[in-house]
Amino acid sequence: MTMILMLMALCVSCSPKESPDLELELSVKPASRPGAYTVSGTSNLPNQSQIAVAAIRYLRPTQQPLFGSNPLGTYSILDRQVVEVDEQGQWEARLNLWEVAPDGRLQEAWQINQSQGRFSVSPNNSVSFLATYEPYGHLGRAEEQQPQIPEMEGDLVRFNNDGQPYVKASYTLPIALPSGRKSVPSIRAAERNGGWGNRSELRPQRSVSGSISPQTNLTNQSDTRLSPSEFFR
């Protein structure tokens, strides 16, 4: 009987340990600058694993959708950043949700497109912050530099259309649309008409008799190759 119990204990100790479920948590806090947010979190992913962090606002078309249209509408990616998990299992991203329109107004990207008449939509009153880990989608790295891919187990694991697993966590926060504006810098004459400015504002120059030596200090750059005589001036 004692021998049987010892064999059972040895079998239990030799059994492989189950891989822990993947964890990916995030929190969102407003930054000091209006329209900017700090997204940070923890994870048990391997060191240097890349996480794509994005802020999106869901939109609905204001007109009656056509047959076959997505009933959930579409969305606009306000900002996106790829970060890495450090040795302590922590990561952090800073996202800027606002942009400056040509007239100086602070707006989100989809608002600028809507003001240009591209489409008409109604926005949701909240913004969703997403953190996604795709083990087979690391960017800008050679194969030998890829971090170790963990066992894709847990409630957060999902599968894309190609059957590849990924981990995704989200956090939704009510965020109002931007308001206010920034001053638009005035356009200088050198920035208009290819550097010529408004030609109608130029005063005609009086003709001067006699020969005038050409100036060597050129103010307008040119791609024309210099002649051999010009090298010795």
Side-chain angles (χ1 to χ4, degrees):
M1 185 66 178
T2 304
M3 182 63 66
I4 296 176
L5 293 176
M6 292 178 62
L7 291 175
M8 293 178 61
L10 289 174
C11 292
V12 172
S13 61
C14 294
S15 60
K17 296 182 180 180
E18 294 183 358
S19 300
D21 293 346
L22 293 182
E23 300 176 357
L24 182 59
E25 300 179 355
L26 73 158
S27 61
V28 182
K29 295 181 180 180
S32 58
R33 184 175 59 180
Y37 289 82
T38 301
V39 186
S40 59
T42 58
S43 177
N44 60 351
L45 292 170
N47 183 28
Q48 296 184 346
S49 296
Q50 292 183 342
I51 297 178
V53 186
I56 66 174
R57 188 185 292 274
Y58 287 96
L59 309 170
R60 289 183 177 273
T62 56
Q63 299 178 354
Q64 184 68 22
L66 299 176
F67 292 102
S69 299
N70 186 0
L72 298 179
T74 183
Y75 60 88
S76 173
I77 300 178
L78 307 181
D79 197 5
R80 183 178 182 272
Q81 184 180 358
V82 178
V83 297
E84 292 185 355
V85 179
D86 61 17
E87 297 179 354
Q88 288 74 34
Q90 299 179 353
W91 55 270
E92 181 178 291
R94 296 183 179 181
L95 304 181
N96 185 20
L97 278 56
W98 296 359
E99 298 182 8
V100 181
D103 59 358
R105 289 183 298 171
L106 296 175
Q107 292 183 330
E108 295 178 350
W110 64 271
Q111 290 180 293
I112 298 177
N113 294 331
Q114 183 173 240
S115 62
Q116 296 174 355
R118 298 183 182 179
F119 56 86
S120 178
V121 293
S122 177
N124 199 335
N125 59 0
S126 60
V127 173
S128 297
F129 295 87
L130 308 178
T132 307
Y133 167 71
E134 299 183 53
Y136 304 100
H138 289 79
L139 305 176
R141 287 182 178 174
E143 184 177 355
E144 60 273 8
Q145 297 177 343
Q146 297 286 353
Q148 180 184 0
I149 298 178
E151 294 291 335
M152 302 297 289
E153 301 289 343
D155 297 335
L156 297 179
V157 178
R158 304 179 184 180
F159 296 88
N160 57 20
N161 295 333
D162 298 329
Q164 297 289 351
Y166 67 96
V167 178
K168 182 179 180 181
S170 62
Y171 185 87
T172 302
L173 188 66
I175 297 178
L177 297 179
S179 60
R181 63 174 60 239
K182 288 188 175 181
S183 58
V184 180
S186 58
I187 301 177
R188 297 176 301 176
E191 299 175 351
R192 295 198 303 249
N193 193 18
W196 290 98
N198 190 353
R199 303 295 295 173
S200 62
E201 297 178 355
L202 297 179
R203 297 181 180 179
Q205 298 181 355
R206 293 179 299 177
S207 60
V208 180
S209 59
S211 61
I212 301 178
S213 59
Q215 297 180 356
T216 59
N217 297 328
L218 301 179
T219 57
N220 292 330
Q221 297 181 354
S222 175
D223 295 333
T224 305
R225 183 174 299 178
L226 296 177
S227 62
S229 60
E230 291 176 318
F231 281 102
F232 297 94
R233 288 182 180 179

